């Protein structure tokens, strides 16, 4: 074999080896793409499809539903509970908690507030003040202002009226004012403080107890609810006889 033939054969062998190496590398590259697409990519897609759950507490139910919908999540109401701190229709709690991850299509379970529980003013008439206080507290209510009036013939202290009146609805935790009749002289009473009380409630009770509301004068008072008593004659603490007249000043409505 001539030198020229040997050199040609050597070049052929080198070219063949280069081709084989390129083909091998190309095969590895293609295999890598297949593995990435069939194995790694689905794993990455599954990991990146999770979303962070937002904080829904103190949000309205409709608002929370919209916020979840934008993330591909759903809202499911588990139950409703009373809560004096959170208005009715707003979210009390949630599962999963805020900032946890959740896959799209899943649901966030929430508890919705019913607001403050509504109670009815119980009938306290005829009860001693202590018994009336205990009953109010058992109903989730507080005793507000206490007005005492002396009434002839009474041998013991007893509640004669409430504000709001019996049967009215009030929110749990609110106060109920009471009027207490106490034993006293035949016709002399101690004038209670009527200011800040409802005009119509006070006038009705006073007239039932034998007093006469001689006049009611209205004045404009900023920040005072209409028909609220702002002044009185006689003043609180002064003595008044049964049948005597009382003058009241109330806030006017604008």
């Amino acid at each position: 074999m001539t030198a020229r033939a040997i050199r040609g054969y050597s070049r052929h062998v080198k070219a063949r080896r280069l081709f084989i190496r390129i083909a091998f590398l190309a095969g590895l590259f293609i295999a890598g793409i297949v593995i990435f697409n069939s194995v790694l990519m689905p794993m990455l897609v599954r990991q990146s499809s999770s979303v962070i759950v937002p904080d829904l507490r103190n949000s309205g139910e409709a608002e929370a539903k919209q916020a979840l919908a934008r993330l591909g999540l759903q809202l499911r109401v588990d139950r409703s509970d009373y809560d004096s701190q959170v208005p009715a229709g707003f979210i009390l709690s949630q599962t999963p908690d805020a900032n946890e991850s959740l896959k799209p299509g899943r649901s966030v379970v929430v508890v919705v507030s019913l607001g403050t529980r509504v109670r009815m003013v119980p009938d306290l008439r005829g009860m001693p003040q202590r018994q009336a206080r205990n009953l109010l507290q058992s109903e989730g209510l507080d005793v507000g202002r206490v007005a005492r009036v002396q009434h002839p013939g009474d041998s013991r202290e007893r509640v004669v009226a409430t504000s709001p009146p019996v049967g009215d609805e009030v929110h749990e935790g609110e106060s109920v004012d009471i009027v207490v009749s106490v034993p006293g002289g035949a016709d002399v009473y101690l004038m209670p403080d009527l200011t800040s009380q409802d005009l119509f409630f006070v006038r009705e009770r006073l007239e039932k107890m034998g007093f006469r509301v001689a006049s009611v004068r209205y004045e404009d008072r900023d920040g005072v609810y209409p028909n609220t008593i702002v002044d009185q004659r006689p003043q609180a603490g002064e003595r008044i006889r049964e049948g005597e007249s009382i003058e009241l000043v109330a806030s006017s409505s604008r």
Side-chain angles (χ1 to χ4, degrees):
M1 182 180 292
T2 64
R4 183 176 182 180
I6 293 173
R7 285 194 298 271
Y9 177 77
S10 177
R11 285 196 297 270
H12 174 74
V13 171
K14 290 181 179 179
R16 186 177 179 182
R17 289 178 179 174
L18 179 61
F19 175 78
I20 293 173
R21 184 176 299 176
I22 293 174
F24 178 74
L25 293 175
L28 288 178
F29 178 74
I30 294 173
I33 292 176
V34 172
I35 294 174
F36 181 80
N37 288 335
S38 61
V39 179
L40 297 179
M41 181 59 75
M43 294 177 61
L44 292 175
V45 170
R46 284 196 295 271
Q47 292 176 359
S48 62
S49 65
S50 296
V51 296
I52 302 301
V53 178
D55 190 352
L56 304 177
R57 292 171 301 175
N58 296 318
S59 299
E61 186 176 345
E63 179 186 354
K65 189 173 184 179
Q66 292 176 358
L68 292 178
R70 288 193 293 268
L71 298 173
L73 301 175
Q74 299 179 6
L75 180 73
R76 180 165 67 86
V77 178
D78 179 46
R79 67 182 189 278
S80 298
D81 286 338
Y82 289 101
D83 193 290
S84 60
Q85 303 299 319
V86 180
F90 284 69
I91 306 299
L92 281 174
S93 62
Q94 65 182 82
T95 305
D97 291 332
N99 298 322
E100 291 190 13
S101 60
L102 194 65
K103 296 184 181 300
R106 300 290 180 85
S107 296
V108 178
V109 183
V110 299
V111 178
V112 179
S113 174
L114 291 173
T116 305
R117 190 186 301 270
V118 176
R119 301 288 192 176
M120 294 182 62
V121 177
D123 191 352
L124 307 177
R125 292 170 296 185
M127 296 183 183
Q129 183 179 340
R130 177 177 296 180
Q131 182 182 355
R133 182 185 299 274
N134 291 338
L135 179 56
L136 286 175
Q137 290 176 346
S138 70
E139 293 291 330
L141 303 172
D142 293 327
V143 176
R145 294 165 297 188
V146 179
R148 291 179 172 82
V149 294
Q150 292 181 337
H151 194 277
D154 276 355
S155 59
R156 63 182 181 87
E157 172 188 284
R158 62 187 179 90
V159 176
V160 294
T162 61
S163 177
V166 176
D168 270 20
E169 291 185 348
V170 292
H171 290 104
E172 191 173 64
E174 290 187 356
S175 298
V176 176
D177 299 333
I178 61 176
V179 178
V180 179
S181 174
V182 296
D187 57 354
V188 179
Y189 299 87
L190 190 65
M191 189 68 188
D193 184 4
L194 305 178
T195 59
S196 301
Q197 300 190 50
D198 181 73
L199 169 65
F200 301 107
F201 167 78
V202 170
R203 180 162 57 183
E204 177 185 357
R205 300 306 173 186
L206 288 175
E207 291 175 349
K208 283 185 177 180
M209 289 186 287
F211 296 99
R212 182 172 62 91
V213 179
S215 66
V216 177
R217 181 164 52 86
Y218 287 89
E219 292 182 0
D220 291 337
R221 295 291 180 93
D222 292 335
V224 180
Y225 195 82
N227 298 312
T228 300
I229 297 175
V230 296
D231 199 4
Q232 65 184 72
R233 296 289 185 279
Q235 294 291 332
E238 295 181 1
R239 295 182 178 276
I240 183 173
R241 294 181 179 275
E242 185 176 5
E244 289 184 352
S245 62
I246 298 173
E247 298 177 2
L248 301 174
V249 180
S251 59
S252 62
S253 58
R254 296 186 177 181

